[in-house]
Amino acid sequence: MKKVIVSVIAVVALLTSTYSTAFALCEKTPVVSQVGRTATIYGDLSNPDSYSNELQKLLLDPDIDGVYVLDPTLDSASDSSNSKGVNEVEPQGGPTYHTYRITNVRTGDDYVGTNKIATVSGVPGDTLQISISKSVSRTYSCNISAVSAGTISTAVGYSVTDSASVSFGVNSPVPSTNAGRKVARMTVNAYPIYKTTNFTVQKRLHKNGLMYPWETCGSGYARNPYGAYYTRVYTYK
């Protein structure tokens, strides 16, 4: 038996997303849930050994297509309906200007990055291993240019221009059969998962000393890496 190992420490920028209760209850014992053909492990990403047994079992389960490993401690997003993040912009040449604010801050869907963090492949008898720690950039988007990254950071509760460290760990043998079929090769891929925070942008007209009502003028999102997504692909004889 041989080991196929991917072991890297690197820094990357990915332009690609709250399970605090579950994690708080089981900080040392990972919590596993399953929906359809996808399973989720809530655990400590900084310590892959703490969830490696659960991950190995799920990757070898023929009824599972992919496994999420989420660390709620890396989810720094706020979730609030309060208006916040005022950013004033006053054009030159007159007393008329707009004030902008971010409101309706809310949690969106998790986003799986499209760029692989790592991939490892082997034949029956091999043990596939991934041991990677990467600094993955947070990202954001807003269709109102007057709203700065600092304003968005204040609204979502974390700096959208910083990065978060995410660890990826796999230790899985390649089986000789899967669902009754003879395996020629198994490949495990790892992707980052981002928690998405959506928000709405409003503006208020200030003209000749009068303030007009707030009106919606745009929207945006911020994404914070807080987990890993693993898939395994079989090639059969």
Side-chain angles (χ1 to χ4, degrees):
M1 180 182 72
K2 65 179 181 179
K3 293 183 178 181
V4 182
I5 302 174
V6 174
S7 182
V8 180
I9 298 178
V11 176
V12 294
L14 302 179
L15 300 180
T16 46
S17 103
T18 309
Y19 305 98
S20 300
T21 301
F23 186 69
L25 292 174
C26 297
E27 289 183 338
K28 295 184 178 180
T29 303
V31 179
V32 180
S33 66
Q34 181 178 344
V35 178
R37 298 182 63 85
T38 301
T40 302
I41 301 173
Y42 306 105
D44 181 2
L45 275 183
S46 66
N47 182 18
D49 289 341
S50 66
Y51 59 81
S52 62
N53 290 338
E54 288 77 9
L55 180 58
Q56 177 179 319
K57 292 176 185 177
L58 292 169
L59 287 175
L60 295 177
D61 188 336
D63 295 325
I64 297 296
D65 291 332
V67 182
Y68 294 94
V69 180
L70 305 180
D71 188 342
T73 64
L74 298 180
D75 176 17
S76 305
S78 63
D79 190 357
S80 171
S81 60
N82 295 329
S83 301
K84 57 178 72 177
V86 174
N87 181 26
E88 295 186 1
V89 178
E90 183 174 357
Q92 296 180 357
T96 299
Y97 64 95
H98 285 95
T99 297
Y100 294 84
R101 71 178 183 181
I102 289 177
T103 188
N104 193 24
V105 179
R106 60 206 182 274
T107 299
D109 295 333
D110 284 353
Y111 177 80
V112 179
T114 57
N115 292 350
K116 294 178 185 178
I117 291 294
T119 184
V120 62
S121 182
V123 298
D126 291 346
T127 297
L128 306 185
Q129 294 185 342
I130 296 176
S131 179
I132 298 177
S133 178
K134 288 196 174 184
S135 181
V136 182
S137 290
R138 295 162 175 162
T139 188
Y140 66 95
S141 177
C142 182
N143 57 8
I144 303 298
S145 61
V147 178
S148 68
T151 299
I152 297 172
S153 297
T154 299
V156 301
Y158 57 84
S159 174
V160 297
T161 57
D162 287 346
S163 301
S165 180
V166 181
S167 297
F168 302 81
V170 169
N171 185 6
S172 178
V174 180
S176 57
T177 61
N178 179 63
R181 302 177 65 184
K182 292 184 178 180
V183 173
R185 178 169 292 274
M186 184 176 84
T187 300
V188 175
N189 301 308
Y191 303 83
I193 301 174
Y194 299 77
K195 171 65 70 176
T196 300
T197 302
N198 297 317
F199 56 84
T200 300
V201 179
Q202 294 182 335
K203 68 178 180 179
R204 166 178 276 174
L205 175 63
H206 300 250
K207 186 175 182 180
N208 298 325
L210 298 177
M211 289 191 303
Y212 290 77
W214 289 102
E215 60 181 31
T216 297
C217 62
S219 61
Y221 65 81
R223 287 180 176 149
N224 183 40
Y226 83 123
Y229 179 59
Y230 299 94
T231 64
R232 52 105 179 90
V233 180
Y234 287 108
T235 302
Y236 297 99
K237 296 179 179 180

